[in-house]
Amino acid sequence: MEIAVVGSEEFVVGFRLAGIKKVYAVTPDKLLDTIVKVLDDQAVGILAVHTPDLDRLPAQLRERMMESVNPVVIPVGVEEGDMRDKVRRAMGIDLYKSR
Amino acid sequence: MREIQPTRSELLEVTRKIRLTQNGHKILKLKRDGLILEFFKILDQAKDLRLEIAKRFREASEKIAIASAVDGVIAVRSASYALTGHPEIQLRSRNLMGVVVPEIKSSKIVAPIYERGYGIIGTSPRIDEATDAFEKLVETVVKAAELETTMKKLLEEIERTKRRVNALEFRVLPDLEEIERFIRFRLEEMERDNIFRLKRIKGKMAKAAEA
């Protein structure tokens, strides 16, 4: 399986340097379609997305990405990620609060 | 409640169901506690990895910004297109308290300069440093992917188990206990009726004998 990266040209160029083949440099208006396409790609195991881009997506898609296990979506550029809400919902308390 | 037959066999059946439910409830509670313990074991690692990703991304972004500013965007892009090695990942699965979680193994991500595919002389040390920083970032992302998937799966299972435990504790068990109480009450009532009837018959027979 492969690693995929979706985001602006400035965000993805470094990942291309690291040898990632599935790198999608997109403009904000193409972001949604590209992410949906990558989420449906069976060959992708990990999808890295820039956090500000993630905030621009519709809540429903964000939720789908948060729940997705294949591929796993890793937001890059933030210290908490999408796990905080999920943990709070399942455990009933905010375990990230101490940080 | 009206469809329940207040018979001894029904009472035995309900008592058996209550015992079974209590056992199931106990086992599910143990499973939930075990899952929570496993979850806490990886929570700190996941938090640390998340911080590491943010830190490495900051460093890598700074390095690529310097490389782009000094060597030019074209030079950085051409170096990125010249790469020959591409990291791949393999997904395996393992069982964690009944939850199938992935084990992600990646092929070599951090490569020495001479294996990257672009000429050593053709690129500047700034591009090499940026590449190095991004390779380390990708390595951390792969580690985080394994842990976060495990966390997501554990959280799903914890939620599901909690719902089952609560349903048994607050819905199924109270309902069964209510049925058991109802049957016991009805059986006692029927027994009292029977005794009263027998006493009346005995009284009537005694009167008949006197007359």
Side-chain angles (χ1 to χ4, degrees), chain A residues 26-44:
Chain A
V26 288
T27 49
D29 54 311
K30 297 265 174 64
L31 186 72
L32 196 139
D33 294 338
T34 315
I35 284 180
V36 171
K37 198 180 88 188
V38 176
L39 281 177
D40 293 333
D41 188 345
Q42 296 295 309
V44 176

Side-chain angles (χ1 to χ4, degrees), chain B residues 175-207:
Chain B
D175 283 358
L176 284 172
E177 280 164 358
E178 180 67 34
I179 292 170
E180 191 195 24
R181 258 198 308 277
F182 170 75
I183 296 175
R184 274 189 202 288
F185 177 77
R186 287 292 299 151
L187 284 175
E188 280 168 15
E189 190 87 354
M190 280 155 74
E191 211 170 304
R192 276 195 295 275
D193 272 0
N194 225 8
I195 291 170
F196 181 71
R197 205 180 306 124
L198 284 173
K199 277 187 175 172
R200 277 190 70 182
I201 292 168
K202 196 181 167 186
K204 275 184 184 174
M205 281 170 76
K207 269 186 188 173

Side-chain angles (χ1 to χ4, degrees), chain A residues 83-97, chain B residues 32 36 39-40 43 155 158-159 162 166:
Chain A
M83 291 306 291
R84 188 175 187 161
D85 281 340
K86 212 168 158 54
V87 171
R88 192 165 37 201
R89 214 170 47 219
M91 309 296 284
I93 44 166
D94 188 1
L95 293 169
Y96 282 75
K97 211 174 178 179
Chain B
R32 182 197 61 191
I36 290 174
F39 173 77
F40 272 103
L43 178 69
L155 283 173
I158 289 170
E159 261 186 290
K162 265 169 100 175
N166 287 343

Side-chain angles (χ1 to χ4, degrees), chain A residues 49-62:
Chain A
V49 186
H50 200 194
T51 319
D53 288 340
L54 207 64
D55 297 336
R56 260 188 244 131
L57 296 170
Q60 212 176 351
L61 181 64
R62 260 206 321 264

Side-chain angles (χ1 to χ4, degrees), chain A residues 1-3 9 11 13-21 45-46 50 65-70 72-83 86-87 89-91 95-96 98-99, chain B residues 36 39-40 43 47-48 50-51 53-54 57-58 64 76-77 79-81 83 85-89 91 127 131 134-135 137-138 141-142 144-145 148-149 151-153 155-156 159 162:
Chain A
M1 293 187 113
E2 286 179 272
I3 305 167
E9 181 62 47
F11 175 70
V13 70
F15 289 94
R16 208 181 275 131
L17 268 180
I20 311 286
K21 214 159 46 172
I46 300 171
H50 200 194
M65 291 168 80
M66 207 168 105
E67 305 287 330
S68 173
V69 171
N70 193 17
V72 192
V73 180
I74 303 287
V76 176
V78 73
E79 289 173 7
E80 280 160 6
D82 56 356
M83 291 306 291
K86 212 168 158 54
V87 171
R89 214 170 47 219
M91 309 296 284
L95 293 169
Y96 282 75
S98 54
R99 292 263 169 155
Chain B
I36 290 174
F39 173 77
F40 272 103
L43 178 69
K47 278 186 191 173
D48 291 342
R50 179 55 67 188
L51 288 174
I53 287 181
F57 179 65
R58 263 198 310 275
I64 204 151
V76 175
R77 278 190 199 170
S80 74
Y81 283 112
L83 287 167
H86 301 289
E88 290 212 345
I89 51 168
L91 286 177
I127 295 177
T131 309
F134 268 96
E135 281 173 348
L137 173 65
V138 172
V141 165
V142 172
E148 293 206 353
T149 317
M151 271 176 81
K152 280 179 189 174
K153 289 212 160 195
L155 283 173
E156 270 169 28
E159 261 186 290
K162 265 169 100 175

